[in-house]
Amino acid sequence: MQKTISPIDGSVYLERPLATDEMIESALAKATEAQKEWRKTTVQERAAFCLKVVEYFVNNADEIGLELTWQMGRPVRYTANEIKKGFQERAKYMISVAEQALADVEVEEIAGFKRFIRRDPVGVVFVVAPWNYPYLTSVNSVIPAIMAGNTVILKHAQQTPLCAERYAEAFAYAGLPEGVFQYLHLSHEQVATVIADTRTSYVAFTGSVEGGHAVQKSINERFIVGGLELGGKDPAYVRADANVADAVENLVDGSFFNSGQSCCGVERIYVHEDVYDAFVEGFVALTKTYTLGDPLDTDTTLGPMVRTSAAVFAQKQIEEAIGQGAKALIDTNLFPAHKAGTPYMAPQVLVNVDHTMQVMTEESFAPVVGIMSVKSDEEAIKLMNDSQYGLTASIWTSDMDAALEIGAQVETGTWFMNRCDYLDPALAWTGVKNSGRGVTLSKVGYEALTKVKSFHLKIG
């Protein structure tokens, strides 16, 4: 039995039994059998089902949002938007480009021959999704996998099991054939069992670097691949020519939204010395306007972290940095709900930081950010690249040419100018270094969910 402990009040929000061996076997058998027929459907037929799924989610977004708040603590003023905005945008985009992305690849004509490359579905796709953005992360794989003619088995995090069940309700609402989508509540050991099964054709995992290593270890026993979307320590660079007010507004949000629990949230900021003081002053002033408290209250803008241990970890990073010379600019007394030994943690802004401190090099996944002054683009590039991670990075400048030149030198999967912490579904979502491997979203995202088959036909 798995329990979901709500970070709101520490209560047991719900309990779910883990799948039995028989349930796992049944799911794999059904998915394998269903895929034989599902792959024969047209892209247009699949799209009709998937658009009905989106319809279900949008129609129930407020109720789903409240469930999400109870499960992982994000303020209720924001949770429904995960469905209404991001989920809907990504799903509809991936549905809209499926026909083009999955079309046969034609090659130059040769007399007497017909030649082309076809994209066949891989088979059974196993999606392992996290709790922090449970719908935004899972939709990146679930909808495209089904649009590509695969069947899907979804395993959601212990913190957000209702998300998997909502998918099942949505696909039932759409009338999807039995076995094309299924979910299982699984332990870590059972996840490894599913990956090891020869009927599993592809694994889409989003989670920690540690979890990614475990998934990769299981994958290595077989000749399959997996998409691994892992951690981040995403940097921002504010140049001297930046619109400081705009940079402040967006980077505060990019640092503290969802209590900083985002793989592509901003965790370290480098600011040119010419605008450093003005930036820090504005950043601190805006941070102080946040309201930490009960996420069920619509006035709350900063909810609890997912669990007490996460807050303890981040607080330890802060204390260690201060012990090494960093200065904390936010008085936690301004946030009465901030209490040690609970998931409720005030946002924190640190200066006088450097890369000898873990808070600038190890993922915090919390509402804490370090800000450093730099003298040049070259120094900023060096510091941005001084990381084991490479998911996203952003630059704040009025010079497009400089942004392009600097972006070419920064080791990252996505390079932003004057924005951050956003996934454009038309662009490939990917990471480098310990941020993982593989691609979701965009037309390129369909490549991992298909296998190529060449047709070489001699006529006559």
Side-chain angles (χ1 to χ4, degrees):
M1 186 71 69
Q2 68 175 25
K3 296 181 179 181
T4 297
I5 308 298
S6 175
I8 294 177
D9 57 8
S11 65
V12 178
Y13 179 60
L14 56 88
E15 295 179 293
R16 290 292 185 270
L18 292 174
T20 62
D21 291 345
E22 291 75 19
M23 292 168 67
I24 294 172
E25 169 59 31
S26 174
L28 285 164
K30 283 183 178 178
T32 302
E33 193 62 29
Q35 202 268 329
K36 294 176 183 176
E37 293 302 316
W38 182 247
R39 64 177 294 155
K40 298 176 185 177
T41 58
T42 66
V43 172
Q44 294 84 356
E45 289 170 333
R46 299 168 199 164
F49 286 110
C50 288
L51 287 171
K52 289 288 286 184
V53 168
V54 177
E55 178 180 283
Y56 168 88
F57 272 107
V58 172
N59 289 346
N60 293 278
D62 291 332
E63 182 182 348
I64 292 171
L66 180 59
E67 291 174 354
L68 192 51
T69 294
W70 273 104
Q71 289 174 93
M72 51 76 65
R74 189 187 311 144
V76 73
R77 67 186 289 163
Y78 304 126
T79 44
N81 282 338
E82 181 165 342
I83 300 298
K84 294 177 181 178
K85 293 184 178 179
F87 177 94
Q88 180 176 201
E89 179 186 33
R90 296 182 195 181
K92 286 187 173 179
Y93 181 83
M94 294 306 288
I95 293 167
S96 72
V97 299
E99 188 163 11
Q100 184 180 3
L102 298 169
D104 290 345
V105 179
E106 301 292 341
V107 297
E108 64 276 9
E109 292 185 9
I110 296 180
F113 291 89
K114 181 173 178 59
R115 302 177 303 155
F116 62 92
I117 302 167
R118 178 155 291 166
R119 297 192 183 280
D120 282 343
V122 293
V124 178
V125 173
F126 183 37
V127 179
V128 184
W131 54 265
N132 62 321
Y133 284 98
Y135 293 107
L136 288 187
T137 51
S138 54
V139 73
N140 294 353
S141 300
V142 171
I143 292 295
I146 288 176
M147 286 298 302
N150 301 294
T151 52
V152 169
I153 297 175
L154 171 64
K155 186 271 178 190
H156 241 295
Q158 178 178 326
Q159 198 67 35
T160 51
L162 286 183
C163 298
E165 296 172 18
R166 281 291 190 174
Y167 268 107
E169 291 177 12
F171 281 113
Y173 170 83
L176 192 74
E178 183 180 2
V180 177
F181 173 86
Q182 299 171 87
Y183 72 87
L184 293 169
H185 298 312
L186 303 170
S187 67
H188 293 320
E189 293 76 15
Q190 289 175 315
V191 167
T193 297
V194 174
I195 295 173
D197 194 284
T198 57
R199 290 166 291 188
T200 299
S201 306
Y202 183 81
V203 182
F205 173 82
T206 305
S208 67
V209 173
E210 181 183 12
H213 278 299
V215 170
Q216 184 63 58
K217 183 177 180 180
S218 296
I219 290 173
N220 284 345
E221 298 299 315
R222 303 185 50 218
F223 294 123
I224 63 171
V225 296
L228 306 176
E229 202 264 273
L230 310 177
K233 190 73 182 175
D234 291 3
Y237 171 36
V238 182
R239 292 184 90 228
D241 64 348
N243 180 326
V244 173
D246 181 64
V248 165
E249 179 182 356
N250 285 278
L251 286 171
V252 169
D253 181 69
S255 300
F256 299 137
F257 189 80
N258 206 37
S259 297
Q261 299 169 124
S262 171
C263 55
C264 60
V266 177
E267 295 203 3
R268 51 197 176 107
I269 303 174
Y270 307 101
V271 184
H272 193 278
E273 59 186 3
D274 290 353
V275 293
Y276 177 80
D277 289 341
F279 178 84
V280 171
E281 181 182 0
F283 196 98
V284 169
L286 186 54
T287 299
K288 289 178 179 178
T289 67
Y290 275 69
T291 300
L292 174 68
D294 181 355
L296 298 174
D297 185 337
T298 55
D299 290 332
T300 295
T301 54
L302 196 68
M305 296 187 67
V306 69
R307 59 181 66 89
T308 299
S309 60
V312 170
F313 173 82
Q315 208 56 56
K316 183 180 178 182
Q317 278 191 336
I318 293 168
E319 291 166 3
E320 286 182 348
I322 292 172
Q324 293 174 273
K327 181 180 180 181
L329 299 184
I330 303 298
D331 181 355
T332 57
N333 290 322
L334 295 172
F335 298 85
H338 173 91
K339 290 184 174 60
T342 77
Y344 289 85
M345 176 181 169
Q348 189 53 269
V349 181
L350 298 174
V351 293
N352 299 343
V353 291
D354 59 46
H355 281 215
T356 67
M357 303 173 185
Q358 287 193 20
V359 76
M360 293 298 287
T361 58
E362 298 291 335
E363 187 172 31
S364 302
F365 221 62
V368 55
V369 65
I371 306 177
M372 286 179 64
S373 174
V374 297
K375 297 180 181 297
S376 65
D377 293 344
E378 291 73 23
E379 184 181 4
I381 292 167
K382 182 178 179 180
L383 288 167
M384 283 190 282
N385 285 340
D386 182 27
S387 175
Q388 63 174 305
Y389 301 103
L391 190 56
T392 78
S394 61
I395 188 169
W396 303 79
T397 178
S398 58
D399 188 336
M400 173 74 78
D401 291 337
L404 289 169
E405 182 180 348
I406 294 168
Q409 301 173 66
V410 175
E411 299 159 354
T412 187
T414 295
W415 177 245
F416 292 108
M417 173 180 165
N418 297 336
R419 76 179 313 179
C420 61
D421 194 24
Y422 170 74
L423 277 69
D424 183 337
L427 297 175
W429 184 243
T430 186
V432 299
K433 298 190 277 191
N434 278 354
S435 287
R437 70 141 189 250
V439 176
T440 58
L441 298 179
S442 78
K443 285 183 281 191
V444 178
Y446 276 102
E447 293 181 5
L449 299 168
T450 55
K451 53 190 177 186
V452 294
K453 184 175 184 178
S454 293
F455 285 76
H456 192 160
L457 313 176
K458 184 177 182 181
I459 302 170

